[in-house]
Amino acid sequence: MIYRRLPGFPGWFARSPFAELERMRRQMDRLFEDWMTPRPVSGVFPLINLTETQENYYLRAELPGMTASDLDIQATANSVSISGERKIPAENHNARYHRREREAGKFSRVVGLPGEINPDKVEARLENGILTVVVPKAEASKPRQITVK
Amino acid sequence: MAESKELKVKEKQELAVKAEQTTPGPTFTPDVDIFETEKAITLLADVPGVKAKSLNIDLRDNTLTIIGDVDPCENADEEDILIEYETGRFYRQFTLSEVIDQNRIEAKLQDGVLRLTLPKVEKATPRKIAIQTA
């Protein structure tokens, strides 16, 4: 049997007096989860911030200690892949370590972009350990001002 | 060195106990490597986005403080789509047990990594003691 579950429908509320409370509790839970859980993290190195303007997407990642030659960036019609290897040069072999928190290793990440891009005009910069990839949007996916006649 | 491993995501460590702050925004503890040789203590810290002029290194009473401010690199007209990391000030403090020659401290900042060389005072470097036999 199918019930019409309209929140304002009096018969529905009367049928289950706790349903409304239950719904409220679920909403509160969701609200708390949003606060408590951190931002969505894909779990793939490096962490990325993606922003957009009308013309471009901007993709940024923190890659301290890396040089341009350690990085490989490729673009397709709607994604950008970043891969490379972070190397930490070996120090004097007599050195005794007190702390060793910085990590070296390989990584590879593909970032899907919300719209079509122009893969030929992608530019990347590495400054002070921050990688910035400027990804121009394809003509078709740029917002267009439409004049009303 | 053996086959290099995959890099895992490590979330930026936000400073747990905050002193009263005068600047808004989050504060992070940078990852560091510290190693010691007979002559010096070397500290390497990952401080992406910190420029040389906004990096502050202070050593007094055996306490080394590193503060690096990061200017947001986003332009005003950019809209966020996906934000996985935040930027903010880097702060970390160390207590040094060895006596450091303050006049010969060297700091180098390259590609977002700070390399700090703290030479030990001459008398603190171990000396080989010759044992005389009668």
Side-chain angles (χ1 to χ4, degrees), chain B residues 68-80:
Chain B
D69 282 314
V70 179
D71 302 325
C73 47
E74 288 177 18
N75 302 317
D77 59 340
E78 289 177 31
E79 274 178 62
D80 295 348

Side-chain angles (χ1 to χ4, degrees), chain A:
Chain A
M1 186 180 254
I2 301 160
Y3 291 105
R4 288 187 66 194
R5 294 215 149 195
L6 286 175
F9 197 58
W12 168 72
F13 190 70
R15 201 170 48 243
S16 110
F18 295 108
E20 183 70 359
L21 275 174
E22 181 63 21
R23 190 181 63 82
M24 272 166 67
R25 195 185 62 82
R26 270 203 305 274
Q27 272 185 353
M28 289 298 279
D29 278 354
R30 215 170 303 140
L31 213 68
F32 264 103
E33 263 169 43
D34 285 353
W35 278 341
M36 300 316 224
T37 50
R39 296 166 303 288
V41 167
S42 66
V44 182
F45 186 93
L47 294 181
I48 275 166
N49 279 359
L50 185 65
T51 59
E52 69 171 337
T53 58
Q54 297 224 326
E55 276 82 43
N56 301 312
Y57 292 111
Y58 294 87
L59 204 147
R60 292 192 179 85
E62 293 186 330
L63 298 167
M66 291 199 62
T67 53
S69 59
D70 301 328
L71 271 174
D72 179 36
I73 296 167
Q74 291 181 13
T76 66
N78 56 9
S79 74
V80 172
S81 83
I82 301 168
S83 57
E85 183 173 359
R86 188 180 181 208
K87 296 173 191 139
I88 292 181
E91 301 292 342
N92 188 340
H93 61 92
N94 287 325
R96 284 178 293 130
Y97 273 87
H98 295 287
R99 291 254 196 309
R100 208 163 196 173
E101 297 165 357
R102 300 165 67 236
E103 287 173 8
K106 287 181 180 155
F107 60 86
S108 170
R109 178 164 183 185
V110 180
V111 183
L113 296 159
E116 290 252 315
I117 62 165
N118 187 348
D120 299 327
K121 296 234 171 84
V122 175
E123 277 176 38
R125 262 198 326 269
L126 193 58
E127 255 178 312
N128 297 320
I130 292 184
L131 172 73
T132 307
V133 188
V134 183
V135 186
K137 293 184 181 176
E139 278 306 317
S141 58
K142 278 184 195 170
R144 234 166 288 251
Q145 187 78 42
I146 289 150
T147 44
V148 182
K149 286 177 195 160

